[in-house]
Amino acid sequence: MAPGMSAVPVNRNGVEFEAKITPIVIISCIMAATGGLMFGYDVGVSGGVTAMDDFLKKFFPVVYRQTKNAGGVNSNYCKYDNQGLQLFTSSLYLAGLTSTFFASYTTRTLGRRLTMLIAGVFFILGVILNAGAQNLAMLIVGRILLGCGVGFANQAVPLFLSEIAPTRIRGALNILFQLNVTIGILFANLVNYGTAKIKGGYGWRISLGLAGIPALMLTIGSILVTDTPNSLIERGHLEQGKIVLKKIRGTENVEPEFLELVEASRISQEIKHPFRNLLKRRNRPQLIIAISLQIFQQFTGINAIMFYAPVLFSTLGFKNDASLYSAVITGAVNVLSTIVSIYSVDKVGRRALLLEAGVQMFFSQAVVAIVLGLKVTDHSDNLGKGFGILVVVMVCTFVSAFAWSWGPLGWLIPSETFPLETRSAGQSITVCVNLLFTFVIAQAFLSMLCHLKYGIFAFFSAWVLVMSLFVFFLLPETKNIPIEEMTERVWKRHWLWKRFMDDDSEYHNGTHEGGKNVYDPSSRL
C-alpha cells in the first residue's frame, strides 16, 4: 500500500534464496498490523465521533442544532452538511498526501526504520492533541499530524515488509496490511459503540485517545527492529547490510542474495529520473491502470460509507445506538470479506473478483437508492424495521463485495504490474492519487448527501458500472504471472495495450536512446 514497494530478490533462474521465517520477520508482521491498524482506526473513529452529541455540542454547535431540528434545516439529508465537520475528517488525507513527498525522501536517505519512527511520533502527537482538544483548531491540527503519520507509515511500512519477508509469504503480507486496516475500522466502531454510552461528555476523548495504542506499538517496534539490508546497501553500509541479511534469513549462506542486492542497488542508482521514465510510452498502460484503479476505488463510495456510517444510518432514521450498532456490523463484514480475498485472489484471479463485485455493488446500491427514494423524504425518516434491516443488509452486501475486490486489489495490481525501474515512482503516484481522491470524497460527501439525497447511491452505482466496463475491456489478468514476464505475457497480448509496446524491443535488447546498456528487468527480480 505504499510507494517504492520492491520485490524480494530471487536469483536469475527464478529460484528463491535460502531463508527461514525468523523472529525479526514475525516482528515485521506485527509492525504491518500496527501500521494498518493505525490507519484503519483513524478512518473508522471519525464517523462515530461526529455522530456523538457531546462532540458536536463542543466543536460543531451549528450541526448539533441541525440534528435536533433546531437549526432551521428542513431536510433529513442536510443535518450534517457542514464544511468544518467534513474538514475534521478530510484534513487527515490532505496531510497524508502532502507528507508522502517528504516520506519518499526520508525513506530513501534515512532508511525505512527511521521513517517508521517518524510516523509513530506524528501519530502520538496527533493522538495527544485530538484527545485533549479544547477547540476546533487543536482538533484539526491533531488530525493533520495523524495525516502526516499516515503519509510516512504508508510509505515505509509496506516497503520495509516487502524487503524483510521471504518471497513465499510476501503476497500474504501485502494483503495483511489491508486486512489490518479493516480490523482497525472495526475496532474503532466497537470503541465508539461503547464510548457513546458514557455519561459526562468525554466519551469522544476516549475514542480519539485509544488510537495511542497502535501508535505506541508502531513507535516501539521501529526502535526495536533493524533497517532492511536493501536500505543499508542502498546507503553504502555494505558490511552492516550483510550482517543484517544473515540475521533475518537465519542462515550464513547469503552471499548470492547479497550480491544480487548490491547489483540491484547499483542499477537503481543509475536511473536518475524514474518519474520521467514512467512517462515513456511503454509504461503508459501500467500508469493509466494504476491511476484509474485508485480513482475508481474511491468512487465506489466505500470511504463515504466507512467514514460516515454512523452519520449515514442516523440520517436514515436509525436511533443513535442503532446507527453505531449498524456501523459495527458493516465493519465486521469488511474484515471477514478481506480474508476471503486472501484465499481467493490467486485462485480465481483479479478480473473475476472485480467483475463479480461490480455486479454485487451495483445491485446493492441501486436497492438502497430505491428504498430511500420511496421511504426517506426530507421530513419523514421512519424507514420501519423491515426496510431498516434491508438497508443494513444491502450496505453489508456492498461492503463485502468491495472488501474482496477493489479494497485489496486496488493496491495489489499496481504493485505487480510496474517494471522494477519504475516501480518506486509508480507506487508513489498510486498512493498520491488515492489520498487525493480520498480527500475529495471525504470533504464532499455530506454536502453531496444534502444535495443529491438518495441519489447519492445512484451516483456511486453509476460509477460502479463505469469501472466494471473498464475492468472488462481494459484490465488484463495478472494472476500467477511472474513480474518479469508481464510485458511478454500480458501487455504484448492485450488488444489495446500491445500498441504501446512497440518501442519495447530496444529496451529489452539493453539499449536506450544514447546507445548505453541499461538494466533488463527480465534478467532479475
Side-chain angles (χ1 to χ4, degrees):
M1 191 172 174
M5 199 176 291
S6 65
V8 175
V10 293
N11 68 20
R12 288 175 189 192
N13 298 318
V15 178
E16 189 180 334
F17 292 116
E18 186 180 336
K20 297 169 185 169
I21 297 178
T22 54
I24 197 165
V25 173
I26 304 300
I27 292 171
S28 300
C29 293
I30 295 166
M31 290 195 63
T34 54
L37 279 173
M38 189 73 224
F39 187 31
Y41 191 88
D42 286 332
V43 169
V45 78
S46 55
V49 165
T50 52
M52 293 182 191
D53 285 350
D54 293 315
F55 177 82
L56 291 174
K57 257 189 276 190
K58 184 168 183 65
F59 297 106
F60 302 99
V62 174
V63 180
Y64 176 72
R65 288 195 297 274
Q66 288 173 186
T67 61
K68 302 304 175 192
N69 294 321
V73 173
N74 292 321
S75 172
N76 288 314
Y77 289 101
C78 296
K79 287 176 182 176
Y80 292 92
D81 180 19
N82 181 276
Q83 287 300 311
L85 186 62
Q86 290 173 133
L87 186 63
F88 165 68
T89 298
S90 66
S91 56
L92 183 145
Y93 303 95
L94 191 59
L97 169 65
T98 309
S99 63
T100 295
F101 296 104
F102 297 99
S104 180
Y105 174 78
T106 61
T107 304
R108 193 171 62 253
T109 56
L110 301 179
R112 288 52 160 151
R113 188 180 73 88
L114 267 178
T115 303
M116 290 189 295
L117 184 58
I118 293 168
V121 171
F122 272 129
F123 278 136
I124 290 169
L125 291 174
V127 168
I128 291 169
L129 274 179
N130 268 354
Q134 296 303 313
N135 52 51
L136 187 57
M138 276 183 78
L139 200 65
I140 299 293
V141 171
R143 287 290 284 183
I144 288 170
L145 287 171
L146 287 174
C148 292
V150 166
F152 277 80
N154 281 6
Q155 178 90 12
V157 174
L159 179 54
F160 178 87
L161 287 169
S162 65
E163 292 176 349
I164 288 281
T167 310
R168 64 184 180 275
I169 63 167
R170 195 177 73 242
L173 275 181
N174 190 308
I175 296 186
L176 178 69
F177 188 90
Q178 177 70 22
L179 174 65
N180 281 283
V181 171
T182 65
I183 292 172
I185 293 170
L186 174 61
F187 180 51
N189 288 333
L190 287 167
V191 167
N192 285 335
Y193 184 62
T195 57
K197 298 179 184 302
I198 293 174
K199 307 295 181 193
Y202 59 87
W204 61 270
R205 292 192 189 276
I206 294 173
S207 286
L208 295 175
L210 283 175
I213 296 172
L216 274 172
M217 288 171 68
L218 179 64
T219 308
I220 294 166
S222 58
I223 292 169
L224 293 177
V225 300
T226 183
D227 219 333
T228 68
N230 312 55
S231 178
L232 291 166
I233 292 165
E234 190 177 29
R235 289 178 288 132
H237 307 302
L238 270 67
E239 278 308 308
Q240 196 181 344
K242 185 185 270 192
I243 291 166
V244 171
L245 191 60
K246 288 177 182 176
K247 187 176 167 187
I248 64 171
R249 296 292 179 245
T251 177
E252 292 292 312
N253 181 28
V254 296
E255 196 66 25
E257 183 173 358
F258 176 72
L259 292 174
E260 288 278 297
L261 289 175
V262 171
E263 178 67 2
S265 173
R266 182 188 67 78
I267 289 157
S268 69
Q269 286 169 8
E270 284 180 3
I271 299 166
K272 301 296 183 191
H273 304 290
F275 283 95
R276 196 181 300 167
N277 197 358
L278 194 62
L279 296 174
K280 289 185 177 176
R281 183 176 166 82
R282 65 170 173 269
N283 293 320
R284 216 162 290 161
Q286 302 95 307
L287 187 61
I288 290 169
I289 282 171
I291 290 174
S292 300
L293 288 180
Q294 301 316 305
I295 295 170
F296 288 150
Q297 189 191 66
Q298 296 313 309
F299 277 90
T300 56
I302 185 66
N303 275 343
I305 286 170
M306 284 304 171
F307 294 152
Y308 298 115
V311 168
L312 184 66
F313 286 123
S314 178
T315 299
L316 304 184
F318 289 66
K319 297 295 176 268
N320 205 36
D321 261 11
S323 66
L324 284 168
Y325 189 58
S326 303
V328 169
I329 293 171
T330 57
V333 168
N334 196 11
V335 173
L336 294 171
S337 301
T338 304
I339 295 170
V340 171
S341 182
I342 292 175
Y343 285 101
S344 60
V345 68
D346 289 318
K347 292 183 176 70
V348 304
R350 284 72 163 142
R351 274 170 54 87
L353 279 177
L354 290 169
L355 290 170
E356 183 281 329
V359 174
Q360 196 171 318
M361 288 155 68
F362 180 84
F363 171 75
S364 54
Q365 286 184 321
V367 170
V368 171
I370 291 165
V371 170
L372 300 191
L374 294 173
K375 298 296 291 181
V376 179
T377 63
D378 281 344
H379 306 291
S380 167
D381 60 1
N382 184 18
L383 268 174
K385 189 174 181 182
F387 282 113
I389 291 170
L390 178 61
V391 167
V392 174
V393 168
M394 285 297 110
V395 169
C396 287
T397 303
F398 168 80
V399 168
S400 66
F402 175 87
W404 64 56
S405 62
W406 285 95
L409 299 186
W411 297 107
L412 178 61
I413 292 169
S415 77
E416 66 186 6
T417 51
F418 283 109
L420 181 64
E421 79 282 359
T422 58
R423 195 169 305 146
S424 176
Q427 286 293 101
S428 291
I429 297 291
T430 299
V431 170
C432 288
V433 171
N434 187 279
L435 286 172
L436 175 63
F437 280 88
T438 305
F439 166 76
V440 168
I441 292 291
Q443 187 61 31
F445 176 70
L446 293 175
S447 299
M448 290 168 69
L449 182 64
C450 176
H451 294 291
L452 295 176
K453 301 182 170 57
Y454 61 86
I456 187 83
F457 288 96
F459 171 81
F460 286 129
S461 66
W463 273 100
V464 170
L465 184 61
V466 170
M467 64 187 72
S468 297
L469 291 171
F470 177 89
V471 169
F472 186 79
F473 289 108
L474 297 178
L475 185 72
E477 180 57 74
T478 52
K479 178 187 74 166
N480 297 334
I481 295 173
I483 296 176
E484 69 272 17
E485 295 178 22
M486 285 287 174
T487 299
E488 293 298 324
R489 291 175 56 181
V490 175
W491 305 116
K492 285 190 174 180
R493 296 183 187 181
H494 191 273
W495 68 273
L496 175 64
W497 303 129
K498 65 183 179 185
R499 66 188 65 183
F500 290 89
M501 298 293 131
D502 52 9
D503 66 344
D504 203 59
S505 54
E506 63 178 20
Y507 170 64
H508 278 284
N509 288 334
T511 62
H512 57 49
E513 295 84 352
K516 295 177 185 174
N517 285 336
V518 295
Y519 179 46
D520 175 359
S522 66
S523 68
R524 189 188 314 274
L525 247 176

